[in-house]
Amino acid sequence: MNLLTVCPQSSQTVKLAAWPDAAREAEVTNPTLPSLLNPGELSAEQSQQQLQRILHSSTLRNSVTLQQLLQFLVTRSLEGKPDGLKEYTIGLEAFGRKADFDPKTDTIVRVQTHRLRQKLKEYYEQEGIHDPILIEIPKGHYCPIFRARVDSRIQPELDRHSLDPIVELETGADPLAPHGGELTKTNQVMEADRGRFHRYLFRPATIIVVCLLSLAIGYFVGDYRSQTAAAGDSFASGKGGFIRSAPDPVKTFWAAFLQNDRAPIIAYPNAVFLLDDSNDLLRFRRGASDNRGARVDEHLALEFASNPTLVANAGQLYYEDGYTGTGELEGVAMLTTLFAQMGIKPIIKTSRNITPEDLQEHSVILLGSPFQNIAVAQLFADGDFAFQNPDSHREQWRAQIVNARPEGNEKSAYGTERDPDTQVLKQDYSLISIQPGVVAGHSIAVLGGLDTKGTEGVTRFMTSASGIESLSAALAAKGLSIKKVAAASRGEMPWFQALVLVQLEKGDQVLSTELTTVHALPRLKSSVSGVEDSTASAKK
């Protein structure tokens, strides 16, 4: 990124900083440089406009403390009072501390400034990525620095001017005077060598040889990547040429699951709700549904809605299936990132839009539980583990994963755990089901938690090296192997179910995941006709 730092107090004063160390600055008065800055020359008004952009951004919208701190620092700087930006002054005037405020024992200024630096970095990496002005607070300082993005067309001229202040910092030379002595001789020798090198480099024969060599290397590397990316092999340069490193266990597993499918389906849940004219949602778990936005028949709503009393007083209702869980959203992101690294482009769909053709032509990964994901409800294979909800009208955090054949110290049922006092979610359980697809050569994976954050946790488990390694070890203990299938690039995946414990913080942050147990699945086969029937019954 080409940047020029401009002091907002004067159009003739320019700060040239060695990026990213903004603490090394030199101020010079250069009568010729401002002409290069137009229209990038910064004024107090432009800096204030940039301040308002940041203050009204979603990054800082919910942080009043950081808004106050940034506004205070920028305002003081633009007023020409940067010397007053001391920790004690900021504590009193920005945070309302009393006169006996002691920065050594009360670290609010340092802590909040650190948070502000992080938020500014986050803002410029997302919302403000195209903003014309950057506001930064260098480490060890409280005075903001304003940086103008420079057009690349004038950068060569700016590079010529920017050399002098750097020389002044390192040698103490006058940046506006000609350099003499050894420095001049050194520059002359460097220029002569550079000229000879450029003449040799750009000879026609040299260009042809370089191009052919580049094509050969590119072909070799590309061919090597294509053979190793799916299985997760990386390559490095060694004395003996290119050598393979250990295969990535995550990519090895998913390469075995996908086989030759280069466009698997990832399906996330979009449960059906009934929407009233006040934009309130009522859960609609059973019964036929229509397209999104269609009016709901009153009798149908009363019969199948979770709370008929609310439905009776809600007025006209409409079908709404445009929502999904945050955990499922995170899961889609993790899987697509992994597959992109493997050179695979998945197809992302809602569960209600999966077709029989999708199941015939692709392997499918279903995210979420059968309570939210209709495809999981229809395609989940019969095994020792199953999702179960004892009360279909009261679903949230009451459902369980039941174990029909407990082994050893296993329990017969696993549920979401909540804090006994605050009721905040503390842990959740999730199921992995790797099962055969509806046709040979394709598979179905179900990654679902009782809660949406359980789904996020189990997807994180299945896209992490530690998770796959622990799963592979547990499968090997039961005589099931993933590596043999992957190495041969043929055969079938071992069909199994796995139970994963997901630890939560504050109810919505995944702290850790842990494999609880693994059970083999019997050799089951789904029928395409059964899928067609169940898919058709999902809609009128």
Side-chain angles (χ1 to χ4, degrees):
M1 183 185 300
N2 298 324
L3 301 172
L4 186 66
T5 305
V6 180
C7 178
Q9 289 90 344
S10 169
S11 62
Q12 297 295 314
T13 302
V14 178
K15 287 184 178 180
L16 295 170
W19 179 264
D21 187 7
R24 295 182 61 208
E25 297 176 350
E27 287 196 356
V28 296
T29 300
N30 191 334
T32 63
L33 197 53
S35 62
L36 295 171
L37 302 178
N38 190 26
E41 185 177 355
L42 295 184
S43 65
E45 182 181 358
Q46 290 172 313
S47 300
Q48 280 286 3
Q49 290 174 349
Q50 182 60 37
L51 170 65
Q52 294 305 315
R53 289 190 195 98
I54 300 175
L55 293 178
H56 291 86
S57 67
S58 60
T59 306
L60 288 184
R61 184 177 299 157
N62 297 322
S63 182
V64 178
T65 301
L66 296 185
Q67 289 178 356
Q68 292 173 343
L69 177 59
L70 179 61
Q71 187 152 18
F72 176 81
L73 297 179
V74 171
T75 301
R76 279 300 183 90
S77 177
L78 295 180
E79 288 174 351
K81 302 175 183 178
D83 294 338
L85 293 177
K86 306 295 184 183
E87 190 171 356
Y88 178 79
T89 307
I90 297 170
L92 264 64
E93 300 187 23
F95 296 111
R97 290 299 194 261
K98 297 180 180 180
D100 60 354
F101 168 63
D102 184 359
K104 293 181 181 179
T105 58
D106 188 344
T107 60
I108 184 172
V109 176
R110 277 168 283 167
V111 170
Q112 296 301 326
T113 304
H114 175 72
R115 289 186 59 220
L116 180 58
R117 290 190 188 101
Q118 292 178 319
K119 285 295 184 180
L120 287 173
K121 182 176 182 293
E122 178 184 333
Y123 170 78
Y124 281 113
E125 288 176 348
Q126 299 177 17
E127 295 175 77
I129 193 169
H130 298 300
D131 284 8
I133 300 170
L134 287 86
I135 300 178
E136 299 170 297
I137 303 173
K139 291 183 180 180
H141 300 266
Y142 296 112
C143 183
I145 286 180
F146 303 81
R147 296 180 178 272
R149 283 192 170 99
V150 179
D151 191 289
S152 59
R153 292 171 294 180
I154 66 173
Q155 187 62 31
E157 184 66 15
L158 292 175
D159 288 341
R160 183 171 63 82
H161 287 277
S162 67
L163 175 63
D164 290 337
I166 297 174
V167 173
E168 180 187 27
L169 283 172
E170 298 180 351
T171 69
D174 181 358
L176 300 180
H179 303 300
E182 293 300 323
L183 183 59
T184 302
K185 293 180 180 179
T186 302
N187 288 340
Q188 291 174 349
V189 172
M190 291 175 63
E191 288 297 327
D193 289 343
R194 189 182 298 121
R196 286 194 294 272
F197 175 75
H198 283 188
R199 286 194 298 273
Y200 177 79
L201 179 63
F202 291 104
R203 287 178 180 174
T206 304
I207 295 174
I208 293 173
V209 171
V210 170
C211 290
L212 291 175
L213 185 60
S214 299
L215 288 172
I217 293 174
Y219 175 81
F220 174 75
V221 173
D223 182 66
Y224 188 89
R225 283 182 185 271
S226 66
Q227 295 180 35
T228 61
D233 287 352
S234 60
F235 62 89
S237 179
K239 292 182 179 179
F242 287 96
I243 56 175
R244 290 194 179 190
S245 62
D248 184 331
V250 179
K251 295 177 182 177
T252 296
F253 175 89
W254 286 105
F257 173 83
L258 296 174
Q259 294 291 297
N260 297 320
D261 190 353
R262 310 301 295 176
I265 304 287
I266 300 176
Y268 61 91
N270 58 326
V272 179
F273 294 87
L274 305 182
L275 180 72
D276 66 12
D277 288 326
S278 299
N279 213 36
D280 290 330
L281 295 172
L282 302 170
R283 187 71 167 90
F284 188 75
R285 293 187 178 88
R286 297 175 300 154
S289 63
D290 206 337
N291 295 321
R292 187 178 182 220
R295 291 186 179 89
V296 181
D297 181 86
E298 180 181 355
H299 300 290
L300 202 65
L302 287 171
E303 181 179 357
F304 293 109
S306 298
N307 195 324
T309 303
L310 291 177
V311 169
N313 299 315
Q316 180 61 57
L317 296 170
Y318 309 89
Y319 288 107
E320 171 61 273
D321 63 356
Y323 292 89
T324 193
T326 57
E328 283 75 18
L329 180 64
E330 294 275 3
V332 170
M334 285 184 272
L335 288 168
T336 52
T337 299
L338 170 65
F339 290 160
Q341 296 171 358
M342 298 171 63
I344 293 169
K345 297 181 179 180
I347 300 169
I348 314 299
K349 305 186 76 168
T350 62
S351 61
R352 306 184 72 81
N353 286 322
I354 291 180
T355 65
E357 289 75 18
D358 291 333
L359 297 169
Q360 291 174 335
E361 298 172 4
H362 300 280
S363 290
V364 179
I365 303 167
L366 305 174
L367 299 177
S369 72
F371 314 123
Q372 308 292 334
N373 191 322
I374 190 173
V376 174
Q378 296 167 353
L379 298 171
F380 194 77
D382 292 332
D384 293 344
F385 291 99
F387 291 93
Q388 187 179 89
N389 183 18
D391 186 347
S392 61
H393 289 282
R394 305 180 68 186
E395 171 188 310
Q396 193 69 304
W397 307 313
R398 293 178 174 86
Q400 295 178 324
I401 295 174
V402 295
N403 183 359
R405 296 179 179 85
E407 300 176 359
N409 296 324
E410 296 174 2
K411 297 188 295 185
S412 60
Y414 299 84
T416 304
E417 183 179 325
R418 304 167 73 179
D419 186 280
D421 298 323
T422 64
Q423 293 297 292
V424 173
L425 274 63
K426 294 178 60 179
Q427 67 179 34
D428 194 51
Y429 280 93
S430 308
L431 266 183
I432 302 165
S433 181
I434 305 298
Q435 57 193 62
V438 299
V439 296
H442 293 306
S443 305
I444 294 174
V446 176
L447 308 178
L450 291 170
D451 178 72
T452 182
K453 289 300 172 178
T455 301
E456 177 183 339
V458 74
T459 310
R460 181 179 297 183
F461 178 89
M462 291 296 289
T463 54
S464 69
S466 59
I468 293 297
E469 286 170 353
S470 64
L471 177 62
S472 299
L475 289 171
K478 292 182 175 291
L480 302 172
S481 175
I482 297 174
K483 293 182 179 179
K484 290 181 180 178
V485 178
S489 295
R490 56 187 173 79
E492 292 182 331
M493 279 288 294
W495 312 130
F496 64 90
Q497 292 178 322
L499 183 69
V500 175
L501 170 64
V502 180
Q503 298 287 354
L504 302 175
E505 175 74 13
K506 298 181 180 180
D508 65 349
Q509 297 176 10
V510 176
L511 284 182
S512 63
T513 59
E514 180 182 352
L515 180 65
T516 302
T517 187
V518 173
H519 286 200
L521 272 176
R523 290 289 172 177
L524 300 173
K525 291 185 179 180
S526 302
S527 67
V528 178
S529 59
V531 174
E532 289 175 347
D533 294 341
S534 60
T535 304
S537 66
K539 296 203 173 192
K540 281 183 179 179

PDB file of all heavy atoms in Angstrom, residues 180-207:
ATOM      1  N   GLY A 180      27.722  14.470  -0.820  1.00  0.00           N
ATOM      2  CA  GLY A 180      29.093  14.461  -1.341  1.00  0.00           C
ATOM      3  C   GLY A 180      29.876  13.318  -0.768  1.00  0.00           C
ATOM      4  O   GLY A 180      29.381  12.477  -0.047  1.00  0.00           O
ATOM      5  N   GLY A 181      31.205  13.326  -1.067  1.00  0.00           N
ATOM      6  CA  GLY A 181      32.116  12.371  -0.464  1.00  0.00           C
ATOM      7  C   GLY A 181      31.810  10.948  -0.897  1.00  0.00           C
ATOM      8  O   GLY A 181      31.467  10.665  -2.036  1.00  0.00           O
ATOM      9  N   GLU A 182      31.951  10.055   0.091  1.00  0.00           N
ATOM     10  CA  GLU A 182      31.809   8.633  -0.182  1.00  0.00           C
ATOM     11  C   GLU A 182      30.399   8.267  -0.619  1.00  0.00           C
ATOM     12  O   GLU A 182      30.196   7.363  -1.413  1.00  0.00           O
ATOM     13  CB  GLU A 182      32.190   7.838   1.070  1.00  0.00           C
ATOM     14  CG  GLU A 182      33.662   7.931   1.450  1.00  0.00           C
ATOM     15  CD  GLU A 182      34.564   7.410   0.342  1.00  0.00           C
ATOM     16  OE1 GLU A 182      34.173   6.415  -0.310  1.00  0.00           O
ATOM     17  OE2 GLU A 182      35.625   8.001   0.105  1.00  0.00           O
ATOM     18  N   LEU A 183      29.394   8.987  -0.089  1.00  0.00           N
ATOM     19  CA  LEU A 183      28.016   8.664  -0.452  1.00  0.00           C
ATOM     20  C   LEU A 183      27.798   8.863  -1.953  1.00  0.00           C
ATOM     21  O   LEU A 183      27.162   8.057  -2.617  1.00  0.00           O
ATOM     22  CB  LEU A 183      27.051   9.546   0.347  1.00  0.00           C
ATOM     23  CG  LEU A 183      25.566   9.272   0.123  1.00  0.00           C
ATOM     24  CD1 LEU A 183      25.249   7.828   0.496  1.00  0.00           C
ATOM     25  CD2 LEU A 183      24.711  10.237   0.911  1.00  0.00           C
ATOM     26  N   THR A 184      28.339   9.963  -2.505  1.00  0.00           N
ATOM     27  CA  THR A 184      28.183  10.234  -3.937  1.00  0.00           C
ATOM     28  C   THR A 184      28.885   9.174  -4.767  1.00  0.00           C
ATOM     29  O   THR A 184      28.348   8.673  -5.756  1.00  0.00           O
ATOM     30  CB  THR A 184      28.759  11.623  -4.266  1.00  0.00           C
ATOM     31  OG1 THR A 184      28.079  12.594  -3.479  1.00  0.00           O
ATOM     32  CG2 THR A 184      28.586  11.937  -5.743  1.00  0.00           C
ATOM     33  N   LYS A 185      30.106   8.791  -4.351  1.00  0.00           N
ATOM     34  CA  LYS A 185      30.836   7.767  -5.092  1.00  0.00           C
ATOM     35  C   LYS A 185      30.101   6.432  -5.064  1.00  0.00           C
ATOM     36  O   LYS A 185      30.011   5.731  -6.064  1.00  0.00           O
ATOM     37  CB  LYS A 185      32.240   7.597  -4.488  1.00  0.00           C
ATOM     38  CG  LYS A 185      33.130   8.819  -4.695  1.00  0.00           C
ATOM     39  CD  LYS A 185      34.498   8.602  -4.070  1.00  0.00           C
ATOM     40  CE  LYS A 185      35.398   9.821  -4.260  1.00  0.00           C
ATOM     41  NZ  LYS A 185      36.735   9.619  -3.630  1.00  0.00           N
ATOM     42  N   THR A 186      29.592   6.111  -3.890  1.00  0.00           N
ATOM     43  CA  THR A 186      28.857   4.852  -3.767  1.00  0.00           C
ATOM     44  C   THR A 186      27.648   4.827  -4.679  1.00  0.00           C
ATOM     45  O   THR A 186      27.367   3.836  -5.358  1.00  0.00           O
ATOM     46  CB  THR A 186      28.408   4.647  -2.312  1.00  0.00           C
ATOM     47  OG1 THR A 186      29.550   4.655  -1.473  1.00  0.00           O
ATOM     48  CG2 THR A 186      27.675   3.323  -2.151  1.00  0.00           C
ATOM     49  N   ASN A 187      26.902   5.948  -4.727  1.00  0.00           N
ATOM     50  CA  ASN A 187      25.739   6.021  -5.598  1.00  0.00           C
ATOM     51  C   ASN A 187      26.122   5.876  -7.063  1.00  0.00           C
ATOM     52  O   ASN A 187      25.423   5.247  -7.850  1.00  0.00           O
ATOM     53  CB  ASN A 187      25.009   7.350  -5.394  1.00  0.00           C
ATOM     54  CG  ASN A 187      24.280   7.386  -4.059  1.00  0.00           C
ATOM     55  OD1 ASN A 187      24.023   6.337  -3.485  1.00  0.00           O
ATOM     56  ND2 ASN A 187      23.965   8.579  -3.574  1.00  0.00           N
ATOM     57  N   GLN A 188      27.275   6.498  -7.457  1.00  0.00           N
ATOM     58  CA  GLN A 188      27.706   6.404  -8.853  1.00  0.00           C
ATOM     59  C   GLN A 188      28.036   4.968  -9.228  1.00  0.00           C
ATOM     60  O   GLN A 188      27.683   4.492 -10.306  1.00  0.00           O
ATOM     61  CB  GLN A 188      28.929   7.308  -9.067  1.00  0.00           C
ATOM     62  CG  GLN A 188      28.600   8.799  -8.975  1.00  0.00           C
ATOM     63  CD  GLN A 188      29.831   9.667  -9.032  1.00  0.00           C
ATOM     64  OE1 GLN A 188      30.950   9.160  -8.944  1.00  0.00           O
ATOM     65  NE2 GLN A 188      29.627  10.972  -9.192  1.00  0.00           N
ATOM     66  N   VAL A 189      28.718   4.247  -8.323  1.00  0.00           N
ATOM     67  CA  VAL A 189      29.063   2.852  -8.594  1.00  0.00           C
ATOM     68  C   VAL A 189      27.791   2.001  -8.705  1.00  0.00           C
ATOM     69  O   VAL A 189      27.644   1.173  -9.594  1.00  0.00           O
ATOM     70  CB  VAL A 189      29.983   2.304  -7.477  1.00  0.00           C
ATOM     71  CG1 VAL A 189      30.173   0.797  -7.652  1.00  0.00           C
ATOM     72  CG2 VAL A 189      31.324   3.018  -7.515  1.00  0.00           C
ATOM     73  N   MET A 190      26.842   2.261  -7.775  1.00  0.00           N
ATOM     74  CA  MET A 190      25.598   1.496  -7.804  1.00  0.00           C
ATOM     75  C   MET A 190      24.829   1.742  -9.089  1.00  0.00           C
ATOM     76  O   MET A 190      24.265   0.819  -9.674  1.00  0.00           O
ATOM     77  CB  MET A 190      24.733   1.857  -6.595  1.00  0.00           C
ATOM     78  CG  MET A 190      25.306   1.365  -5.271  1.00  0.00           C
ATOM     79  SD  MET A 190      24.333   1.921  -3.870  1.00  0.00           S
ATOM     80  CE  MET A 190      22.790   1.109  -4.209  1.00  0.00           C
ATOM     81  N   GLU A 191      24.781   3.004  -9.539  1.00  0.00           N
ATOM     82  CA  GLU A 191      24.065   3.326 -10.768  1.00  0.00           C
ATOM     83  C   GLU A 191      24.722   2.661 -11.966  1.00  0.00           C
ATOM     84  O   GLU A 191      24.053   2.166 -12.870  1.00  0.00           O
ATOM     85  CB  GLU A 191      24.008   4.842 -10.964  1.00  0.00           C
ATOM     86  CG  GLU A 191      23.074   5.549  -9.999  1.00  0.00           C
ATOM     87  CD  GLU A 191      21.649   5.109 -10.187  1.00  0.00           C
ATOM     88  OE1 GLU A 191      21.256   4.793 -11.323  1.00  0.00           O
ATOM     89  OE2 GLU A 191      20.921   5.052  -9.175  1.00  0.00           O
ATOM     90  N   ALA A 192      26.068   2.637 -12.008  1.00  0.00           N
ATOM     91  CA  ALA A 192      26.766   2.011 -13.126  1.00  0.00           C
ATOM     92  C   ALA A 192      26.488   0.510 -13.165  1.00  0.00           C
ATOM     93  O   ALA A 192      26.220  -0.069 -14.217  1.00  0.00           O
ATOM     94  CB  ALA A 192      28.274   2.266 -13.009  1.00  0.00           C
ATOM     95  N   ASP A 193      26.566  -0.130 -11.990  1.00  0.00           N
ATOM     96  CA  ASP A 193      26.283  -1.570 -11.932  1.00  0.00           C
ATOM     97  C   ASP A 193      24.854  -1.862 -12.344  1.00  0.00           C
ATOM     98  O   ASP A 193      24.583  -2.835 -13.047  1.00  0.00           O
ATOM     99  CB  ASP A 193      26.536  -2.087 -10.509  1.00  0.00           C
ATOM    100  CG  ASP A 193      28.030  -2.102 -10.177  1.00  0.00           C
ATOM    101  OD1 ASP A 193      28.830  -2.022 -11.128  1.00  0.00           O
ATOM    102  OD2 ASP A 193      28.361  -2.181  -8.967  1.00  0.00           O
ATOM    103  N   ARG A 194      23.912  -1.000 -11.888  1.00  0.00           N
ATOM    104  CA  ARG A 194      22.518  -1.212 -12.233  1.00  0.00           C
ATOM    105  C   ARG A 194      22.308  -1.103 -13.740  1.00  0.00           C
ATOM    106  O   ARG A 194      21.548  -1.846 -14.341  1.00  0.00           O
ATOM    107  CB  ARG A 194      21.639  -0.204 -11.498  1.00  0.00           C
ATOM    108  CG  ARG A 194      20.148  -0.493 -11.629  1.00  0.00           C
ATOM    109  CD  ARG A 194      19.308   0.552 -10.928  1.00  0.00           C
ATOM    110  NE  ARG A 194      19.579   0.568  -9.506  1.00  0.00           N
ATOM    111  CZ  ARG A 194      20.015   1.632  -8.836  1.00  0.00           C
ATOM    112  NH1 ARG A 194      20.202   2.765  -9.471  1.00  0.00           N
ATOM    113  NH2 ARG A 194      20.241   1.559  -7.527  1.00  0.00           N
ATOM    114  N   GLY A 195      22.991  -0.173 -14.373  1.00  0.00           N
ATOM    115  CA  GLY A 195      22.848  -0.008 -15.806  1.00  0.00           C
ATOM    116  C   GLY A 195      23.345  -1.217 -16.575  1.00  0.00           C
ATOM    117  O   GLY A 195      22.715  -1.681 -17.520  1.00  0.00           O
ATOM    118  N   ARG A 196      24.539  -1.738 -16.183  1.00  0.00           N
ATOM    119  CA  ARG A 196      25.058  -2.936 -16.855  1.00  0.00           C
ATOM    120  C   ARG A 196      24.120  -4.123 -16.661  1.00  0.00           C
ATOM    121  O   ARG A 196      23.882  -4.901 -17.574  1.00  0.00           O
ATOM    122  CB  ARG A 196      26.455  -3.259 -16.304  1.00  0.00           C
ATOM    123  CG  ARG A 196      27.535  -2.300 -16.804  1.00  0.00           C
ATOM    124  CD  ARG A 196      28.920  -2.849 -16.518  1.00  0.00           C
ATOM    125  NE  ARG A 196      29.197  -2.915 -15.102  1.00  0.00           N
ATOM    126  CZ  ARG A 196      29.719  -1.922 -14.391  1.00  0.00           C
ATOM    127  NH1 ARG A 196      30.040  -0.784 -14.993  1.00  0.00           N
ATOM    128  NH2 ARG A 196      29.932  -2.053 -13.100  1.00  0.00           N
ATOM    129  N   PHE A 197      23.585  -4.261 -15.456  1.00  0.00           N
ATOM    130  CA  PHE A 197      22.679  -5.379 -15.178  1.00  0.00           C
ATOM    131  C   PHE A 197      21.419  -5.284 -16.018  1.00  0.00           C
ATOM    132  O   PHE A 197      20.956  -6.272 -16.583  1.00  0.00           O
ATOM    133  CB  PHE A 197      22.328  -5.383 -13.685  1.00  0.00           C
ATOM    134  CG  PHE A 197      21.311  -6.423 -13.324  1.00  0.00           C
ATOM    135  CD1 PHE A 197      21.664  -7.766 -13.251  1.00  0.00           C
ATOM    136  CD2 PHE A 197      19.997  -6.059 -13.062  1.00  0.00           C
ATOM    137  CE1 PHE A 197      20.726  -8.719 -12.906  1.00  0.00           C
ATOM    138  CE2 PHE A 197      19.064  -7.012 -12.729  1.00  0.00           C
ATOM    139  CZ  PHE A 197      19.434  -8.349 -12.654  1.00  0.00           C
ATOM    140  N   HIS A 198      20.838  -4.078 -16.097  1.00  0.00           N
ATOM    141  CA  HIS A 198      19.616  -3.894 -16.887  1.00  0.00           C
ATOM    142  C   HIS A 198      19.868  -4.187 -18.364  1.00  0.00           C
ATOM    143  O   HIS A 198      19.022  -4.787 -19.026  1.00  0.00           O
ATOM    144  CB  HIS A 198      19.093  -2.482 -16.711  1.00  0.00           C
ATOM    145  CG  HIS A 198      18.392  -2.281 -15.395  1.00  0.00           C
ATOM    146  ND1 HIS A 198      17.709  -1.144 -15.086  1.00  0.00           N
ATOM    147  CD2 HIS A 198      18.277  -3.105 -14.325  1.00  0.00           C
ATOM    148  CE1 HIS A 198      17.197  -1.249 -13.877  1.00  0.00           C
ATOM    149  NE2 HIS A 198      17.546  -2.436 -13.392  1.00  0.00           N
ATOM    150  N   ARG A 199      21.023  -3.756 -18.907  1.00  0.00           N
ATOM    151  CA  ARG A 199      21.310  -4.006 -20.329  1.00  0.00           C
ATOM    152  C   ARG A 199      21.407  -5.502 -20.609  1.00  0.00           C
ATOM    153  O   ARG A 199      20.926  -6.009 -21.607  1.00  0.00           O
ATOM    154  CB  ARG A 199      22.597  -3.298 -20.741  1.00  0.00           C
ATOM    155  CG  ARG A 199      22.441  -1.780 -20.879  1.00  0.00           C
ATOM    156  CD  ARG A 199      23.630  -1.176 -21.623  1.00  0.00           C
ATOM    157  NE  ARG A 199      24.889  -1.377 -20.918  1.00  0.00           N
ATOM    158  CZ  ARG A 199      25.352  -0.541 -19.983  1.00  0.00           C
ATOM    159  NH1 ARG A 199      24.661   0.543 -19.652  1.00  0.00           N
ATOM    160  NH2 ARG A 199      26.490  -0.790 -19.385  1.00  0.00           N
ATOM    161  N   TYR A 200      22.033  -6.234 -19.665  1.00  0.00           N
ATOM    162  CA  TYR A 200      22.163  -7.679 -19.854  1.00  0.00           C
ATOM    163  C   TYR A 200      20.808  -8.380 -19.698  1.00  0.00           C
ATOM    164  O   TYR A 200      20.444  -9.267 -20.461  1.00  0.00           O
ATOM    165  CB  TYR A 200      23.162  -8.242 -18.840  1.00  0.00           C
ATOM    166  CG  TYR A 200      23.301  -9.750 -18.930  1.00  0.00           C
ATOM    167  CD1 TYR A 200      24.071 -10.348 -19.927  1.00  0.00           C
ATOM    168  CD2 TYR A 200      22.627 -10.564 -18.024  1.00  0.00           C
ATOM    169  CE1 TYR A 200      24.178 -11.716 -20.009  1.00  0.00           C
ATOM    170  CE2 TYR A 200      22.729 -11.934 -18.104  1.00  0.00           C
ATOM    171  CZ  TYR A 200      23.513 -12.516 -19.101  1.00  0.00           C
ATOM    172  OH  TYR A 200      23.606 -13.868 -19.174  1.00  0.00           O
ATOM    173  N   LEU A 201      20.055  -7.938 -18.666  1.00  0.00           N
ATOM    174  CA  LEU A 201      18.795  -8.601 -18.357  1.00  0.00           C
ATOM    175  C   LEU A 201      17.803  -8.497 -19.495  1.00  0.00           C
ATOM    176  O   LEU A 201      17.055  -9.425 -19.778  1.00  0.00           O
ATOM    177  CB  LEU A 201      18.192  -8.014 -17.072  1.00  0.00           C
ATOM    178  CG  LEU A 201      16.852  -8.599 -16.628  1.00  0.00           C
ATOM    179  CD1 LEU A 201      17.007 -10.080 -16.291  1.00  0.00           C
ATOM    180  CD2 LEU A 201      16.304  -7.837 -15.417  1.00  0.00           C
ATOM    181  N   PHE A 202      17.773  -7.359 -20.185  1.00  0.00           N
ATOM    182  CA  PHE A 202      16.740  -7.130 -21.189  1.00  0.00           C
ATOM    183  C   PHE A 202      17.205  -7.425 -22.607  1.00  0.00           C
ATOM    184  O   PHE A 202      16.614  -6.967 -23.568  1.00  0.00           O
ATOM    185  CB  PHE A 202      16.223  -5.696 -21.075  1.00  0.00           C
ATOM    186  CG  PHE A 202      15.445  -5.472 -19.807  1.00  0.00           C
ATOM    187  CD1 PHE A 202      15.999  -4.785 -18.737  1.00  0.00           C
ATOM    188  CD2 PHE A 202      14.177  -6.001 -19.665  1.00  0.00           C
ATOM    189  CE1 PHE A 202      15.284  -4.605 -17.573  1.00  0.00           C
ATOM    190  CE2 PHE A 202      13.460  -5.812 -18.502  1.00  0.00           C
ATOM    191  CZ  PHE A 202      14.018  -5.120 -17.448  1.00  0.00           C
ATOM    192  N   ARG A 203      18.319  -8.165 -22.767  1.00  0.00           N
ATOM    193  CA  ARG A 203      18.668  -8.656 -24.099  1.00  0.00           C
ATOM    194  C   ARG A 203      17.619  -9.664 -24.559  1.00  0.00           C
ATOM    195  O   ARG A 203      17.119 -10.450 -23.757  1.00  0.00           O
ATOM    196  CB  ARG A 203      20.034  -9.337 -24.061  1.00  0.00           C
ATOM    197  CG  ARG A 203      21.198  -8.344 -23.924  1.00  0.00           C
ATOM    198  CD  ARG A 203      22.525  -9.072 -23.831  1.00  0.00           C
ATOM    199  NE  ARG A 203      23.638  -8.140 -23.703  1.00  0.00           N
ATOM    200  CZ  ARG A 203      24.893  -8.518 -23.492  1.00  0.00           C
ATOM    201  NH1 ARG A 203      25.189  -9.814 -23.393  1.00  0.00           N
ATOM    202  NH2 ARG A 203      25.843  -7.609 -23.374  1.00  0.00           N
ATOM    203  N   PRO A 204      17.275  -9.723 -25.844  1.00  0.00           N
ATOM    204  CA  PRO A 204      16.226 -10.626 -26.344  1.00  0.00           C
ATOM    205  C   PRO A 204      16.477 -12.088 -25.972  1.00  0.00           C
ATOM    206  O   PRO A 204      15.573 -12.798 -25.561  1.00  0.00           O
ATOM    207  CB  PRO A 204      16.254 -10.408 -27.860  1.00  0.00           C
ATOM    208  CG  PRO A 204      16.782  -9.018 -28.009  1.00  0.00           C
ATOM    209  CD  PRO A 204      17.773  -8.827 -26.910  1.00  0.00           C
ATOM    210  N   ALA A 205      17.720 -12.551 -26.123  1.00  0.00           N
ATOM    211  CA  ALA A 205      18.008 -13.957 -25.820  1.00  0.00           C
ATOM    212  C   ALA A 205      17.757 -14.263 -24.352  1.00  0.00           C
ATOM    213  O   ALA A 205      17.231 -15.317 -23.995  1.00  0.00           O
ATOM    214  CB  ALA A 205      19.456 -14.289 -26.197  1.00  0.00           C
ATOM    215  N   THR A 206      18.148 -13.319 -23.505  1.00  0.00           N
ATOM    216  CA  THR A 206      17.953 -13.530 -22.071  1.00  0.00           C
ATOM    217  C   THR A 206      16.479 -13.619 -21.741  1.00  0.00           C
ATOM    218  O   THR A 206      16.041 -14.459 -20.942  1.00  0.00           O
ATOM    219  CB  THR A 206      18.603 -12.381 -21.277  1.00  0.00           C
ATOM    220  OG1 THR A 206      19.967 -12.288 -21.636  1.00  0.00           O
ATOM    221  CG2 THR A 206      18.473 -12.626 -19.780  1.00  0.00           C
ATOM    222  N   ILE A 207      15.665 -12.752 -22.336  1.00  0.00           N
ATOM    223  CA  ILE A 207      14.220 -12.757 -22.083  1.00  0.00           C
ATOM    224  C   ILE A 207      13.599 -14.080 -22.497  1.00  0.00           C
ATOM    225  O   ILE A 207      12.780 -14.659 -21.780  1.00  0.00           O
ATOM    226  CB  ILE A 207      13.548 -11.587 -22.826  1.00  0.00           C
ATOM    227  CG1 ILE A 207      14.033 -10.253 -22.247  1.00  0.00           C
ATOM    228  CG2 ILE A 207      12.032 -11.698 -22.750  1.00  0.00           C
ATOM    229  CD1 ILE A 207      13.542  -9.045 -23.009  1.00  0.00           C
TER     230      ILE A 207
END
